[in-house]
Amino acid sequence: MSPQLLEQLIQCLGKSAVLDHPSVQEAYLIDQRGYYRGAASAVVRPASTKQVAEIVMIARQFGVSVVPQGGNTGLCGGATPDDSGSQLILSLEKLNTIRDVDTVDYSMMVEAGVILQNILDTACDHDLFFPLDLAAKGSCQIGGNLATNAGGINVLRYGNARDLVLGLEVVLADGSIWNGLSNLRKDNTGYDLKQLFLGSEGTLGIITAAVLKLFPSPMNRKTAMLVVSNPKAACRLLGTVRSISGDAVVSFEYIGREAMECVLSGMNVTDPFNKRYEHYVLIELASAAGGGILDGMLEQIMEQGMGSHGIVDGVLAQNERQREALWHIRELISEAQKGSVKNDVSVPISRLPQFLEKAAQCVEATSPGSRPCPFGHIGDGNVHYNILAPQSEEPADFRARSGEALIAAVTDLAMSMDGSFSAEHGIGQLRLGMMERYKSPEALGLMKKLKRSMDPAGVLNPGKIV
Ligand SMILES: Cc1cc2nc3c(=O)[nH]c(=O)nc-3n(C[C@H](O)[C@H](O)[C@H](O)COP(=O)(O)OP(=O)(O)OC[C@H]3O[C@@H](n4cnc5c(N)ncnc54)[C@H](O)[C@@H]3O)c2cc1C
């Protein structure tokens, strides 16, 4: 890095907020999955929106680009710099103040670096609820969640991250600050600018603060893990549960045998059932109304669904401890099958059973003996169709030998069924090739035009998304 650039950064932020030595940068340079390793001229840690804006202006002046980074839990390498060693990593970790909770507007104003778990806890302290929930909540930041339009376990009822935002504050590529921190529920005055930045993975602007939607706290929760005869029965069950519960379903998660096996054998967890099954669904109903409104509903669903309707077995959580134990299984799946080939696809819910059947055939044809390990948010049509190495092969060798072909096979199949090649994890650098392959020329052209017009000098996270 040029001494002049370093001097200006230190002048702006103070010495302790500029990490220019590789020995203190390590954690910022590698992505969550260890797929990417970059280099940076410095990691800068501003503590205010104004400082973020100043850094972007300095970066422009010196012709270097900026990679925004939140909790660095993203799964596509979006927060990892390239290997040139010239980029600046801009960590939002010091912008971590919860500015306001408004119990009349049902909103919370937060800075981008607030850890998601702190937002969930703060909402709870006010007897309110913020529905974004994912296994990385203890370390991901809300800015990262919004920049990746994260999904998680409550999308069925509350939508993705982009549905949970009322307003944003964003530093633009020219260093100006767009203050869109509105908490209005209705504002139909032209283009909805905040939507441009939600899911843009730091390529169009740096989110510095947001106004989030809050909801009444679910007083009542009912959770069950049911065993179904096949994926078709699982999808039918979703419709039944939605209609019987008056659409009180917040989560509807699928766990296939291999995924369950990984958790039971690798993570020292007890099987909630005393028999081995192939297909499980984790269902959670929730209601903000008191008075036991959900009592007996899951029992009714089980009774109706047993036998010919495809439910084979089930356990109902009788208390919070049992509920947490069921969720623990779901949350451990990613960690339990580290080293697998990963896919994050979606298809229309009605086509999921066919997708799962055909995907298993494609996998066997592409790499015989490999073990499909599908699980995920099937209530949203989203399957993490991960694939484990054959028992006899090392995961790293398997990924090197078959990873690319397996990903192409599963993704081609999802796309042929009107699906998406990235349901919730985003693009980053991991899926750049897929953007070229699967996006229509019109869609891709429009995205590139948008990027060029909002960031003509390519200051913000170049080489990601487009
Ligand atoms: C165990 C585990 C479970 C997960 N489960 C889910 C899940 O269920 N659903 C789901 O959708 N995702 C899931 N994820 C991935 C998810 O995208 C991230 O966890 C999270 O949303 C990213 O937040 P982060 O703060 O870590 O962002 P980072 O990883 O730091 O950054 C992600 C991207 O956002 C950009 N960015 C970060 N902060 C800002 C900002 N303030 N302004 C502009 N751009 C910014 C970065 O440049 C990068 O492109 C999971 C990850 C893990 C490790």
Side-chain angles (χ1 to χ4, degrees):
M1 172 167 46
S2 79
Q4 292 87 344
L5 172 56
L6 181 61
E7 194 188 312
Q8 286 223 23
L9 291 172
I10 291 174
Q11 225 171 51
C12 170
L13 301 177
K15 201 164 173 24
S16 65
V18 181
L19 312 179
D20 63 324
H21 198 277
S23 63
V24 285
Q25 293 176 350
E26 185 65 12
Y28 300 88
L29 301 177
I30 307 171
D31 78 303
Q32 165 75 28
R33 283 179 169 156
Y35 290 177
Y36 300 100
R37 185 191 184 86
S41 54
V43 177
V44 290
R45 301 185 299 161
S48 69
T49 300
K50 191 165 159 274
Q51 286 187 342
V52 174
E54 282 168 10
I55 291 167
V56 171
M57 280 192 260
I58 295 170
R60 268 172 66 94
Q61 184 193 335
F62 283 87
V64 299
S65 53
V66 174
V67 180
Q69 191 173 100
N72 200 16
T73 68
L75 301 175
C76 306
T80 313
D82 63 23
D83 56 10
S84 67
S86 68
Q87 295 188 304
L88 289 174
I89 295 178
L90 189 152
S91 166
L92 278 301
E93 65 199 317
K94 285 188 170 179
L95 268 87
N96 59 4
T97 304
I98 295 184
R99 292 185 187 166
D100 185 40
V101 178
D102 192 320
T103 56
V104 176
D105 282 330
Y106 270 60
S107 65
M108 188 189 298
M109 191 189 293
V110 296
E111 292 183 349
V114 179
I115 301 283
L116 177 58
Q117 183 68 60
N118 295 344
I119 294 175
L120 305 182
D121 292 345
T122 302
C124 193
D125 292 344
H126 289 78
D127 287 330
L128 292 171
F129 179 60
F130 183 61
L132 186 63
D133 198 343
L134 39 123
K137 61 190 165 193
S139 41
C140 61
Q141 300 173 5
I142 190 67
N145 301 143
L146 302 183
T148 56
N149 183 30
I153 56 174
N154 293 325
V155 172
L156 183 58
R157 170 82 157 276
Y158 297 97
N160 291 300
R162 71 164 71 251
D163 301 306
L164 304 174
V165 179
L166 293 170
L168 284 184
E169 178 186 79
V170 181
V171 170
L172 305 174
D174 62 0
S176 60
I177 299 168
W178 172 57
N179 184 342
L181 283 175
S182 159
N183 56 0
L184 291 174
R185 300 274 159 169
K186 294 181 93 169
D187 177 14
N188 212 358
T189 53
Y191 306 128
D192 188 354
L193 294 178
K194 66 179 178 297
Q195 292 298 341
L196 284 177
F197 304 102
L198 298 166
S200 73
E201 300 182 33
T203 60
L204 300 180
I206 302 176
I207 299 169
T208 47
V211 181
L212 307 172
K213 286 183 194 170
L214 299 178
F215 294 81
S217 201
M219 311 265 287
N220 258 312
R221 279 185 201 277
K222 299 287 173 193
T223 309
M225 188 175 283
L226 303 186
V227 176
V228 288
S229 48
N230 51 45
K232 199 168 182 178
C235 292
R236 245 192 350 248
L237 179 63
L238 172 63
T240 310
V241 182
R242 290 189 73 171
S243 87
I244 290 184
S245 70
D247 231 357
V249 197
V250 283
S251 304
F252 195 89
E253 301 283 310
Y254 173 76
I255 304 174
R257 179 70 222 167
E258 283 292 352
M260 181 62 96
E261 196 66 49
C262 287
V263 174
L264 297 181
S265 62
M267 310 300 286
N268 203 15
V269 168
T270 312
D271 194 337
F273 299 94
N274 51 18
K275 269 172 84 177
R276 181 192 158 94
Y277 292 113
E278 292 301 314
H279 307 283
Y280 306 82
V281 282
L282 180 58
I283 303 176
E284 187 154 285
L285 309 181
S287 167
I293 195 165
L294 302 174
D295 286 356
M297 249 174 214
L298 285 173
E299 288 84 344
Q300 187 193 341
I301 288 159
M302 268 183 76
E303 245 166 57
Q304 278 189 12
M306 279 289 189
S308 57
H309 291 295
I311 298 181
V312 176
D313 201 348
V315 291
L316 268 58
Q318 303 297 337
N319 51 44
E320 186 54 24
R321 195 179 50 78
Q322 291 181 2
R323 172 181 174 261
E324 279 172 12
L326 292 179
W327 271 112
H328 195 49
I329 294 174
R330 169 63 185 87
E331 285 178 351
L332 283 176
I333 297 176
S334 297
E335 195 185 333
Q337 35 96 55
K338 265 194 174 149
S340 60
V341 169
K342 321 275 188 203
N343 288 289
D344 170 36
V345 296
S346 63
V347 294
I349 295 166
S350 57
R351 303 184 76 174
L352 263 172
Q354 199 192 358
F355 168 78
L356 287 170
E357 192 186 323
K358 285 193 170 177
Q361 292 163 4
C362 286
V363 166
E364 184 55 24
T366 309
S367 178
S370 47
R371 296 169 294 150
C373 185
F375 68 97
H377 319 294
I378 61 161
D380 315 320
N382 177 193
V383 191
H384 301 310
Y385 201 92
N386 295 353
I387 304 157
L388 297 163
Q391 296 283 10
S392 56
E393 195 172 5
E394 279 302 313
D397 298 340
F398 167 65
R399 279 201 315 275
R401 179 177 64 83
S402 303
E404 220 171 286
L406 284 170
I407 288 170
V410 171
T411 313
D412 280 350
L413 176 66
M415 295 308 288
S416 75
M417 299 176 80
D418 302 325
S420 166
F421 56 89
S422 181
E424 62 172 8
H425 293 161
I427 305 300
Q429 32 185 328
L430 182 67
R431 298 197 174 89
L432 273 177
M434 289 189 190
M435 288 292 271
E436 297 290 334
R437 177 167 178 170
Y438 298 116
K439 276 277 172 195
S440 72
E442 295 77 15
L444 200 56
L446 205 50
M447 285 189 191
K448 287 179 178 171
K449 242 188 239 171
L450 206 55
K451 170 70 179 170
R452 275 197 301 272
S453 79
M454 291 179 70
D455 181 16
V459 175
L460 297 178
N461 217 1
K464 314 290 166 56
I465 296 195
V466 287

